[in-house]
Amino acid sequence: FHDGFLDLIEDDMLSNGTIPDVVPFYRYGNQQADPSWSSAFIFVLFSRFHISGNLEPYKKHRDSVKLYLDNMFRQYEERGRLAMMVATGDLWGTYGEWEVANETDRPPHTFVSAFNWILTLQQASEMAESAGDAHLAKLYAKNASDISREFLQVYYHEDQHSFEFGSQTELALALRLNILNEDEAADVGDFLNHRLQADGEDQGNWTVGMYGFKYILQSLTKSGHADTAYSLLKSTPNPSVGFMLLNDFEPASTNLWEVWDAIHQDATGNSRQHHMYSTLGTYLYELAGVVGNQEHGFGYSQQKPLQLAVQGVINNLTHACSKSKNAFGPFEFCWSAPSFDGVIPDDDPPSSSHFTVTLPTGSYANITMPLLQTKHHRAKRLRIVESENVIFEGTVDRDSMDLPHAPLPGLDSLSFNFESYTLDFIVSSGKFNFSL
């Protein structure tokens, strides 16, 4: 499907790099496309590369990618760049943030267009570098860096830890770009969390549309507010995903709506079978322990291993199992662990934690396993089984570590992180069972 979709985009591209809002282009949209909508060309290519490590789609469309990005940069220059667009009220786009839950919190079109423009450049640079197109990678990276600086100068309010008008979408998108330092990102994440609390449970908390929804759960999680993201996912007041699925009037089944308040709107632009909020699936993987892979990849190289974590991103889940696949085949990660938050009393010893991971040949995973802290740091026994063979048994404790110093079959490294009080494993292809 994706390969065919990419071919359709290229077929409808004009000789100057202009592509339409919708392909095939015969009924809806414009040509020149809204910058946010046309970014689908790069995003689909990047997802093919990011999930499986497959660069063939990028190589096939490499010339069209450059043509498209050159056209976008031409538009950007002709409009006077970002500061001029904002000063003159140039929207630089037709649609912007699509179908917001709260119209008063809609970000300017120009903000959303600039975000997607920067992100497409970042992703194009990464694909070009991996494909050996060093000159293009450097060009795209420079443009992304230059426009990111302009983005910060125009929209970032450092004293308020906010962007533009401080909407949920603006904060979530800004965090996704990774253009803030660690302290700034934490402050903006705190402000996003505050905004969600201030918007209130009785309103369902959400004010986002298509783009804000795509990134808000991950932005909250990455900035230390995974519990808020989880609460949002579970909420059922209107508007929310929970309301779509559980309302008494027209509950969705396997589908999602285009409009948050669909049951109270007319039929115009009001699809009941829409995919634009389906990015919540990425967050469900994070809950199940496949964390950070929106940015880190799916384990097709040692440089971009699967990021797996027992207990996922919050502390009160007790078990989960996730299955997916990369270019080499299916992988599976299942775990169970006691629910905890903080130090466990010595008179209430926790049950064991364990996980299994199955990786196809050629794949790599970095796995984090938290150690439950008791008052006197009770030692735990670690047992590792590869296929049906016990390859390690030893003691794990804060003060005395009985860990292997030499690599074990399929286990590239095993270390104890004193700062996070976790065991960190790096494994390659095989089936492993770890118990603690």
Side-chain angles (χ1 to χ4, degrees):
F1 170 80
H2 282 139
D3 290 343
F5 185 59
L6 290 166
D7 288 340
L8 284 173
I9 294 175
E10 188 170 275
D11 288 345
D12 279 337
M13 178 182 287
L14 301 182
S15 59
N16 66 354
T18 299
I19 61 178
D21 288 314
V22 179
V23 296
F25 182 53
Y26 71 93
R27 184 176 177 186
Y28 297 110
N30 305 293
Q31 190 169 12
Q32 180 78 44
D34 182 294
S36 296
W37 286 41
S38 66
S39 63
F41 184 37
I42 305 301
F43 291 167
V44 173
L45 282 169
F46 187 75
S47 70
R48 298 280 279 115
F49 160 66
H50 176 77
I51 293 173
S52 66
N54 185 0
L55 279 164
E56 292 309 310
Y58 165 78
K59 292 176 181 177
K60 177 181 178 180
H61 298 283
R62 175 194 283 120
D63 293 342
S64 294
V65 167
K66 186 174 187 305
L67 196 63
Y68 164 71
L69 293 175
D70 286 348
N71 176 61
M72 287 290 296
F73 193 77
R74 224 172 15 250
Q75 285 187 61
Y76 188 71
E77 290 281 294
E78 289 170 356
R79 291 171 179 271
R81 304 182 75 94
L82 189 55
M84 179 62 72
M85 283 189 264
V86 172
T88 60
D90 184 346
L91 294 180
W92 197 30
T94 308
Y95 309 112
E97 175 66 305
W98 189 251
E99 296 297 350
V100 292
N102 186 331
E103 190 61 39
T104 62
D105 228 11
R106 180 186 293 277
H109 289 0
T110 309
F111 184 98
V112 181
S113 295
F115 161 79
N116 282 299
W117 175 218
I118 294 168
L119 190 58
T120 56
L121 287 167
Q122 291 175 342
Q123 293 180 345
S125 176
E126 187 173 340
M127 288 188 289
E129 182 178 11
S130 297
D133 299 335
H135 172 71
L136 291 177
K138 185 175 180 180
L139 172 65
Y140 300 152
K142 181 181 184 305
N143 287 341
S145 178
D146 290 346
I147 299 166
S148 294
R149 281 195 295 273
E150 296 172 23
F151 188 86
L152 290 171
Q153 290 168 359
V154 171
Y155 291 123
Y156 183 38
H157 307 300
E158 186 175 2
D159 58 331
Q160 301 172 30
H161 313 307
S162 182
F163 280 79
E164 190 59 350
F165 303 115
S167 73
Q168 293 177 16
T169 291
E170 289 160 346
L171 299 171
L173 299 191
L175 286 168
R176 172 61 185 90
L177 288 176
N178 297 321
I179 57 178
L180 298 168
N181 65 41
E182 186 175 345
D183 290 339
E184 290 171 335
D187 288 338
V188 173
D190 288 346
F191 185 62
L192 173 58
N193 185 61
H194 168 74
R195 271 300 315 267
L196 286 158
Q197 305 304 324
D199 288 330
E201 284 288 345
D202 59 330
Q203 300 179 42
N205 289 102
W206 303 100
T207 66
V208 296
M210 174 171 66
Y211 292 106
F213 184 86
K214 183 175 182 179
Y215 300 109
I216 192 169
L217 298 175
Q218 283 77 19
S219 291
L220 282 166
T221 297
K222 188 176 178 181
S223 58
H225 300 286
D227 289 340
T228 298
Y230 187 48
S231 295
L232 279 172
L233 192 63
K234 294 191 301 178
S235 66
T236 58
N238 184 20
S240 68
V241 174
F243 181 81
M244 292 186 197
L245 298 172
L246 299 174
N247 72 86
D248 294 329
F249 309 102
E250 188 187 322
S253 53
T254 59
N255 55 304
L256 293 172
W257 302 340
E258 178 181 12
V259 181
W260 289 103
D261 198 24
I263 60 174
H264 298 129
Q265 304 296 326
D266 62 32
T268 305
N270 190 358
S271 165
R272 298 297 203 277
Q273 181 65 34
H274 227 67
H275 66 276
M276 68 188 197
Y277 298 126
S278 60
T279 48
L280 67 88
T282 301
Y283 182 67
L284 294 178
Y285 270 99
E286 296 221 356
L287 281 178
V290 187
V291 300
N293 292 289
Q294 191 175 51
E295 297 175 31
H296 295 297
F298 275 74
Y300 55 84
S301 72
Q302 287 180 306
Q303 291 72 36
K304 293 203 169 200
L306 272 165
Q307 303 289 327
L308 306 176
V310 173
Q311 293 198 298
V313 293
I314 61 175
N315 288 334
N316 58 0
L317 292 184
T318 58
H319 60 280
C321 195
S322 57
K323 299 178 182 180
S324 190
K325 62 181 179 179
N326 61 16
F328 304 119
F331 65 82
E332 181 175 333
F333 179 56
C334 300
W335 58 265
S336 65
S339 177
F340 78 99
D341 186 9
V343 176
I344 305 296
D346 275 336
D347 58 1
D348 185 20
S351 57
S352 297
S353 301
H354 74 268
F355 70 85
T356 60
V357 59
T358 303
L359 297 173
T361 300
S363 298
Y364 301 85
N366 184 2
I367 308 167
T368 300
M369 187 178 198
L371 294 177
L372 305 186
Q373 300 181 58
T374 63
K375 184 177 180 180
H376 296 102
H377 310 301
R378 187 190 307 273
K380 302 283 287 184
R381 295 292 295 174
L382 173 65
R383 190 170 189 263
I384 304 174
V385 177
E386 196 276 326
S387 295
E388 296 183 356
N389 302 311
V390 177
I391 61 174
F392 175 76
E393 284 190 285
T395 303
V396 178
D397 183 73
R398 178 189 289 274
D399 301 315
S400 61
M401 304 300 294
D402 180 16
L403 297 179
H405 298 289
L408 298 171
L411 184 66
D412 296 344
S413 74
L414 171 58
S415 60
F416 180 72
N417 187 320
F418 282 90
E419 183 176 346
S420 60
Y421 206 52
T422 58
L423 283 174
D424 297 329
F425 307 82
I426 298 179
V427 300
S428 52
S429 52
K431 181 176 182 178
F432 300 87
N433 187 313
F434 298 75
S435 59
L436 185 64

